[in-house]
Amino acid sequence: MTTTDIATTAGGSLAIRPEQTAWTPDQAAVLQQSGIDNQVAPAELSAFLHLCQRTRLDPFSRQIYLIGRYDRRQGRKVYTPQTSIDGYRVIAHRAAGDAVHSLGYDDTLWCAKDGRWRDVWLDDEPPAAAKVTVIRNGQRFSAVARYAEYVQTGRDDKPSGLWGKMPATMTAKCAEALALRMAFPHDLAGVYTAEEMAQADNAGPAEQQLRRVQPGEADAWETAAPQTAAQGRDYLHEAYEAADADTVRRLWLEARADGAVPEYLAQIAAVGKEKAAGVDEGSRPDGETRAVPLDSQVVDAEIVAEALTPEDDYAAAVAELRAAAEEARLDTDTFETDAATALGVALADAPTDAIRALAATLRNAA
């Protein structure tokens, strides 16, 4: 199979050409129908096209697809390419064939909680782990997947979907995906299997702190309290509903005058930045999305500067640093003192760029 095979799998106007550098209008329309909404970043779409070309998987036959999950830090859905374990096998066999390499497997092994490995799993309870060894051209690539790290759970913390019905099979699929990615790092880089990513939708221990705030609801996380006014006005929700960045700027000023905390102001400023930059769909606090006509948005650079004052930018940087410190599990009670020590200057006097650089360092170390 050659690199042009993907061009004929979908056929007609949906065929992906090896030389194309952007999605055609017809392709983009079908992708949108498949669940990719307007929150997807242009860079994510471009990377997805490159990945489809490199892996020769057809997104219009659902061999590979983009899954959006809400990211609190970015304030929007972040899209990740995914395929099934079958798609991984197709890529691996195709890559091995192109390289004229042999491809094989050792027997799959499952580990019990007592640490003993078995070549068949007959217990009703899930295995503790599974091990798969891929053999490429005589070289062995072994990977172990722990059940606890990949199991998909529901709101009651019980295994859901196929993880509740076939835990041994699902754990083995995750181990196989890990082993195949080790054996074919170039061909499988940047794409993960649905079996591996099912756990990404789990409700974590800190979900109540990190989940999106509903309109009119107080946030238990002190750094992002949505209700700041005595009359219970939800400025953030109003910002999401605003028609343009100028309106968001006025809301920011009103929220500040009403005593809003810096982190809350930073959230409003982030909404203003999106609207000023011409983002055509925003994630609302209630979890829904609202399309905004492009011709109703402000894209002029001068308006961007007006919509985001230095105070806005500073508040956003401090919020990022505080979030990074919490992710790194640092003592938040001494946040300002520790930040001043690291920055070499009081937090109130620190340059915004230095604050963001420190936040990035903490995130990388977390």
Side-chain angles (χ1 to χ4, degrees), residues 5 72-73 78 184 192 202 295 342 350:
D5 288 341
R72 183 179 180 277
R73 183 182 301 166
V78 174
F184 299 90
Y192 294 86
N202 290 354
D295 57 4

Side-chain angles (χ1 to χ4, degrees), residues 249 252-253 256 262-273 304-322 347-348 350-357 359:
R249 171 170 164 73
W252 187 93
L253 293 171
R256 184 181 64 173
E263 292 81 358
Y264 184 59
L265 293 173
Q267 292 184 1
I268 299 175
V271 176
K273 182 180 294 185
V304 174
E306 291 179 6
L308 293 171
T309 67
E311 288 180 301
D312 299 349
D313 203 27
Y314 171 81
V318 172
E320 291 174 18
L321 180 58
R322 188 182 295 275
L347 184 59
T352 300
D353 290 345
I355 296 173
R356 284 203 165 92

Side-chain angles (χ1 to χ4, degrees), residues 264-285:
Y264 184 59
L265 293 173
Q267 292 184 1
I268 299 175
V271 176
K273 182 180 294 185
E274 287 187 354
K275 292 183 182 294
V279 177
D280 59 347
E281 185 170 347
S283 177
R284 293 170 41 176

Side-chain angles (χ1 to χ4, degrees), residues 72 209 213 217-228 236 261 263-264 267 322:
R72 183 179 180 277
Q209 291 183 330
V213 178
E217 176 187 11
D219 191 346
W221 201 29
E222 294 181 357
T223 59
Q227 295 292 344
T228 61
L236 181 58
V261 297
E263 292 81 358
Y264 184 59
Q267 292 184 1
R322 188 182 295 275

